[in-house]
Amino acid sequence: MVSISVIGPNGSGKTHFYTLLAYHLNRHVQAQTGQSLVRQMEVRGAVKTNDGRIASFFDLYERLRFGYKLPSTAPPALDEGPWTLQINFTTPPRFRLLPGKKVQLTLLDLSGEVLRRIMNMIVDVKKGVMTQQDFDKELALLGIDPQRFDELVTYAFRSDIYIYVINLYTIASLWGDSKAGVQIPDIVAKYANFLDAYKFYNDEKPPKALGVVFTFFDRAERLLMNLGLMTPEEIQRKDYSQVARRLGRLLGEALNLAGATNVEYFISYTKELDENRFKTTITREGEMLLDYPASEYDRIISWLAANA
């Protein structure tokens, strides 16, 4: 089984990316095998939305499938968090991009700041500079049940593959500011010590693979063109792979990924219709399709397959 952890700060689009990846996988599996992958998924956990509702993975998936925007997730209350989404599935042997693989995809609704603090605390316990009792007290102050210690360790340190989700629009908006050189590293610093902490916990071994997904790309297109980071021709061709790698080179130092292996960068977006819905088209077969970079999600799946 290949285990994948999705991490990112608040507002980065983690839940949307997580659900869109499942949507893309299901589309391919259905087209190639006639089977519904989503119906076979084992699901654990849920998230709390800003309107106070508890949303399961299937709630989120069906909402996205029909073109509705996902509600923002709410920070967990002190007696609740963190919320967990986990899907387990096995792809069919005939699925060309990722044949016959058992996959566990996990998302904990933790902000980048809280995850970084917890990882540092776990490392301090391993170093012996923090007692387990003090660690439990600190977890309680963060509103996390100490009984979830093993779950947190698995999510942060024992997955095979990690995917960072970064709001590209937030970064691109700052790039035009004279202070951007200070602010951008501050944003991505939420990830900067992740690799060091991971390697210390795992005796200097890096994770099998690291992916960085730049979300809200559609909102950032014009800003990126104005900054000379992409061309109109690349947008017209929907040629995003080179743009993603260009952005990765620019932010690589701030992300502190030196020493990581199998690092790749990807673009994600879902074109918006209005404040509540995404743009969709209807196929001749009557299927409703979202407007998103399917070629980038093919790249993500191929990258996962190469590292599974």
Side-chain angles (χ1 to χ4, degrees):
M1 181 183 73
V2 58
S3 56
I4 305 163
S5 287
V6 178
I7 64 176
N10 290 338
S12 60
K14 296 187 299 293
T15 306
H16 182 87
F17 164 74
Y18 184 96
T19 311
L20 187 59
L21 180 59
Y23 168 87
H24 185 76
L25 278 164
N26 193 65
R27 273 191 61 211
H28 269 298
V29 169
Q30 279 194 313
Q32 292 179 23
T33 70
Q35 303 174 35
S36 171
L37 183 65
V38 167
R39 290 181 183 175
Q40 300 172 29
M41 288 178 176
E42 297 178 7
V43 178
R44 182 173 73 86
V47 295
K48 187 175 183 179
T49 61
N50 275 336
D51 58 7
R53 298 180 183 180
I54 307 301
S56 72
F57 165 76
F58 294 116
D59 295 332
L60 299 171
Y61 180 84
E62 288 300 305
R63 187 174 179 87
L64 181 65
R65 187 167 73 93
F66 286 105
Y68 290 96
K69 292 185 180 181
L70 302 185
S72 299
T73 56
L78 285 179
D79 59 346
E80 293 175 334
W83 296 93
T84 303
L85 275 180
Q86 186 178 86
I87 52 177
N88 295 271
F89 57 91
T90 301
T91 58
R94 288 187 294 148
F95 179 42
R96 291 190 298 273
L97 289 174
L98 190 65
K101 291 292 184 181
K102 291 183 178 180
V103 179
Q104 181 179 85
L105 187 64
T106 304
L107 168 65
L108 262 66
D109 197 15
L110 283 169
S111 70
E113 297 89 337
V114 172
L115 177 61
R116 180 170 55 171
R117 184 174 172 187
I118 290 172
M119 290 183 73
N120 288 338
M121 287 162 49
I122 292 172
V123 166
D124 285 345
V125 170
K126 184 171 182 179
K127 288 180 178 177
V129 298
M130 175 181 267
T131 67
Q132 186 68 47
Q133 185 178 14
D134 287 340
F135 179 88
D136 292 348
K137 288 179 181 177
E138 288 293 321
L139 273 189
L141 290 174
L142 293 171
I144 301 172
D145 187 341
Q147 306 248 341
R148 300 183 70 178
F149 175 79
D150 287 342
E151 179 186 7
L152 292 169
V153 170
T154 298
Y155 177 69
F157 294 111
R158 293 178 183 158
S159 286
D160 299 309
I161 297 173
Y162 287 84
I163 298 177
Y164 298 171
V165 182
I166 297 178
N167 186 329
L168 179 60
Y169 179 66
T170 300
I171 293 175
S173 298
L174 290 171
W175 239 314
D177 189 328
S178 61
K179 297 179 181 177
V182 175
Q183 295 182 48
I184 290 173
D186 286 346
I187 292 170
V188 298
K190 294 178 176 67
Y191 305 88
N193 75 330
F194 169 82
L195 186 61
D196 288 341
Y198 180 96
K199 288 170 66 178
F200 178 87
Y201 190 88
N202 290 283
D203 300 322
E204 295 308 308
K205 294 178 182 177
K208 186 179 285 187
L210 281 169
V212 179
V213 176
F214 297 110
T215 56
F216 299 105
F217 177 81
D218 54 325
R219 298 182 186 178
E221 278 182 358
R222 187 172 297 277
L223 289 166
L224 293 174
M225 282 197 296
N226 291 341
L227 292 164
L229 294 174
M230 67 179 302
T231 66
E233 291 75 24
E234 286 175 319
I235 292 179
Q236 187 175 10
R237 295 195 310 266
K238 295 189 175 182
D239 181 12
Y240 300 124
S241 60
Q242 293 305 313
V243 178
R245 289 166 183 151
R246 199 174 299 144
L247 290 166
R249 288 194 295 271
L250 286 169
L251 293 171
E253 184 176 349
L255 286 167
N256 189 29
L257 297 183
T261 56
N262 301 324
V263 180
E264 190 54 275
Y265 301 91
F266 307 98
I267 294 296
S268 179
Y269 63 82
T270 308
K271 287 289 180 73
E272 299 169 315
L273 179 63
D274 54 41
E275 63 180 12
N276 296 313
R277 295 201 54 148
F278 294 115
K279 289 182 178 179
T280 58
T281 56
I282 306 297
T283 67
R284 285 180 296 178
E285 294 77 19
E287 182 186 4
M288 182 180 289
L289 294 181
L290 298 168
D291 186 347
Y292 72 105
S295 61
E296 283 294 281
Y297 277 76
D298 283 346
R299 282 209 311 126
I300 291 172
I301 296 171
S302 296
W303 172 77
L304 292 174
N307 292 289

